[in-house]
Amino acid sequence: MRRTIFLICICLSGLTMSGQNFEFYKTYGDSLIKLKEYAKLIEFFEGEIKKYPENDTICQYLGLFYFNNKQIEQAVKNLKKAIFLNPECINCYTSLASIYATQRDFEKAIQYADTAIDLDKKSGDPLALRARIHNLNGNTFYAKMDFNKAFRKEIKNPQSYIWHAKFNNQQGFSVSAISNLEKAISMDSTLIEARIELAMIHFYSGHFEDVISEINTVLKHDKENAMAYNILATAYKELQDFETSEELFNLGIDYADSSELHMLLYNRTSLYHSMEDMERKCADLNSLIVLSESGWINDTNLTRQNEIEANAFCDSNFQEYFYQRGIAAYNLSQYEEAINWYKKGLNRFPDSYLTLSFLGNAYYKNNQFDEALAAYYEVLKNAEKMKIEIRQNERARFMDNVDFYYNGNLAQVHQFTAECLLYINKPEEALAHANSALSISRDIPDLKDLGFFYTRGLVNLMLMRFQEAIADFNADLETRENPEAKIYRAIARMSLLGNINKQAKNINPLEGVDQDWFKSRKAITDDADLLIIERSLEDCNEVIEKYPEYAHAYYNRALIKYFTKSGDHCPDLILAKKFGQEINENHTLNCDLD
């Protein structure tokens, strides 16, 4: 659940005091508030309070400036002085309630909110504030009561619909929240807060195009809204448009004050991580540490997390420094570079079995199967040591489920071990590892889309266990979109016809079935066999319909047509070659591919 954030907005445009001319205050103060120059405002108004020591309004605004400058003690002191001078200062009570809520002193926060409610019989604002405090403290029943009371008082006020929307969203009622926000926007189309909240709901629902639409509308009204750029940049990151995302983060950072800068920098580190750009990620992590040292990040857990991230990614005295750079190279398909990084890490930290598992992955992707197997066997022999290594990692404190990470890594070691064994024609051994991967992942829903059924399907196909292969490909397709599973399901189905060359050599499903898989061409007339052909062709057709340039699908459809004499196969073979399928000169199936 997202944390409730209490914002204290300040503006001097309504500031009036009898007997004094404050037009200069308004102009000077509002200009600096817009720039969020709170230190300069504090300096100026501290001078003014010496001239007018009994002025409660100056005390009130000093309190707000101190709060926004992260000087909580001085903020409370000035707001309490304002109340002493003016016991009916409603904004002073609500401001103190908000401050104590951010400090998680809920008892005091409620006390000040109660006083504001007693003083303000017309507005729903203090009730909505108390509702947010109750909600932050986990008292959803009382929160709902206060939100309803506030709503009844402010039913013609669009802000009341925003209160309701935030509460409904926090309780998991996103549809009601969207309805509330759309009502607020229909009452006032310039409501930035409503559009940002609506964009956030769309974001967490994965509707990134809707996020972009809402935030672009916000920026038409407020082109310097740093948090709007933050949301928009993050949406583009999720859409893999990294260039646009970076441009938007940079704009947001240009407009951000110190309190907003942390969020933007932190999210930009995530962007650079996705881009596999460790150097710029480190630069932002170091900036976050500077913010912490300057007192702009008061959350000690967040500060510690930033320090741990910086150590892991940016300090070569830590083993993660090496394997994170290896992972970055691996994700960019730079496998030789990844191998070099992992080896450097193992030279420094020879007992890191996590690094060794990553080295095995890089060897595997680089077609160095013997080296990969040697690494994987060593990892599997020391699996318990790898679990201890993961649990002792400081970053594990911020993981939701450390055992999930361990099990996922272990399952993938078994999976890739199985695939390496397939490449060196040891399918029986491969089957044992494929089964182990499935056994580890079976009760963990988030691991089911990693292709463990698909791997075992390939093993079963190589072992000529066609029904089992079909069942595995079916299971894989239930958890994810995988065109290769459909193509190999078609091959497994065709293999049920019995026209298989069981003595064929160098046939490996991981490298693709070719014409040597089949013994000879023959026309099919049996109804049951015709149904198998129809369903096999249907699998290839579905892949081609969704991915019109998928070479492997054209190639296998050509094979099916050729060996069953069920259609002109040459157009498919020509397209397969056009879209990148390598076709041996001895495997042209009597087609002119030139």
Side-chain angles (χ1 to χ4, degrees), residues 207-236:
H207 301 148
F208 302 119
E209 297 297 339
D210 292 330
V211 174
I212 292 168
S213 175
E214 289 298 335
I215 296 300
N216 280 334
T217 303
V218 169
L219 292 172
K220 286 179 183 177
H221 297 291
D222 181 5
K223 66 178 182 180
E224 297 182 4
N225 191 308
M227 297 317 292
Y229 285 110
N230 179 53
I231 298 166
L232 192 58
T234 307
Y236 275 107

Side-chain angles (χ1 to χ4, degrees), residues 20-293:
Q20 298 168 22
N21 181 4
F22 284 93
E23 288 302 321
F24 172 71
Y25 285 4
K26 294 176 188 177
T27 304
Y28 177 77
D30 283 338
S31 65
L32 288 181
I33 288 168
K34 187 175 182 180
L35 296 173
K36 299 178 182 178
E37 296 278 3
Y38 300 119
K40 289 182 180 179
L41 283 163
I42 289 168
E43 182 182 1
F44 174 76
F45 279 97
E46 281 288 5
E48 295 303 296
I49 198 67
K50 290 176 182 176
K51 301 176 187 176
Y52 311 106
E54 303 300 312
N55 193 292
D56 62 280
T57 309
I58 294 178
C59 290
Q60 175 190 347
Y61 281 98
L62 264 174
L64 302 184
F65 300 147
Y66 273 119
F67 175 75
N68 281 275
N69 207 42
K70 311 295 183 185
Q71 294 173 264
I72 304 301
E73 188 176 336
Q74 287 295 321
V76 171
K77 176 182 174 182
N78 277 279
L79 287 166
K80 286 185 175 180
K81 182 179 176 182
I83 289 173
F84 176 78
L85 294 169
N86 178 10
E88 295 187 358
C89 177
I90 296 169
N91 286 340
C92 297
Y93 292 106
T94 57
S95 297
L96 281 167
S98 296
I99 289 171
Y100 282 120
T102 62
Q103 302 300 302
R104 305 191 73 79
D105 187 340
F106 299 116
E107 185 177 351
K108 286 183 180 178
I110 292 293
Q111 287 174 1
Y112 281 103
D114 286 345
T115 304
I117 291 166
D118 291 339
L119 289 170
D120 189 349
K121 302 296 185 184
K122 294 181 179 180
S123 170
D125 289 356
L127 279 164
L129 171 62
R130 190 171 68 182
R132 293 198 297 276
I133 296 168
H134 280 312
N135 197 44
L136 185 61
N137 196 28
N139 296 326
T140 55
F141 176 78
Y142 291 110
K144 187 173 182 179
M145 285 180 59
D146 277 346
F147 272 124
N148 286 335
K149 289 177 184 177
F151 185 74
R152 285 194 294 271
K153 281 193 172 189
E154 300 279 355
I155 197 163
K156 294 184 179 180
N157 182 352
Q159 185 65 45
S160 64
Y161 290 93
I162 298 175
W163 299 331
H164 251 278
K166 289 183 176 181
F167 179 74
N168 283 330
N169 191 38
Q170 287 167 353
Q171 301 308 308
F173 304 123
S174 60
V175 174
S176 296
I178 290 171
S179 177
N180 292 146
L181 292 166
E182 288 176 344
K183 176 65 175 177
I185 291 167
S186 72
M187 297 168 75
D188 182 354
S189 62
T190 65
L191 273 176
I192 288 174
E193 184 183 3
R195 290 192 181 277
I196 285 181
E197 188 69 20
L198 187 56
M200 292 302 297
I201 294 173
H202 289 316
F203 181 89
Y204 285 106
S205 300
H207 301 148
F208 302 119
E209 297 297 339
D210 292 330
V211 174
I212 292 168
S213 175
E214 289 298 335
I215 296 300
N216 280 334
T217 303
V218 169
L219 292 172
K220 286 179 183 177
H221 297 291
D222 181 5
K223 66 178 182 180
E224 297 182 4
N225 191 308
M227 297 317 292
Y229 285 110
N230 179 53
I231 298 166
L232 192 58
T234 307
Y236 275 107
K237 180 181 86 73
E238 294 298 321
L239 291 170
Q240 305 293 299
D241 186 346
F242 298 144
E243 184 178 351
T244 302
S245 178
E246 184 179 13
E247 289 175 3
L248 292 165
F249 274 127
N250 293 343
L251 281 170
I253 287 167
D254 286 343
Y255 293 126
D257 66 8
S258 298
S259 62
E260 297 165 331
L261 190 56
H262 167 261
M263 181 80 69
L264 282 147
L265 282 171
Y266 189 80
N267 284 340
R268 196 171 66 176
T269 68
S270 177
L271 169 67
Y272 288 143
H273 191 100
S274 298
M275 294 169 66
E276 313 300 346
D277 189 335
M278 295 298 109
E279 298 309 318
R280 287 198 286 177
K281 178 182 176 76
C282 285
D284 278 354
L285 284 169
N286 288 328
S287 296
L288 286 167
I289 290 172
V290 170
L291 280 178
S292 296
E293 291 172 348

Side-chain angles (χ1 to χ4, degrees), residues 6 28 48 52 67 109 217 316 323 325 332 336 348 352-353 428 458 467 488 560:
F6 291 85
Y28 177 77
E48 295 303 296
Y52 311 106
F67 175 75
T217 303
S316 60
Y323 71 65
R325 277 158 175 72
L332 293 171
E336 291 284 357
R348 289 282 303 275
S352 175
Y353 294 100
E428 291 83 2
L458 294 175
Q467 291 287 10
Y488 281 117
I560 294 169

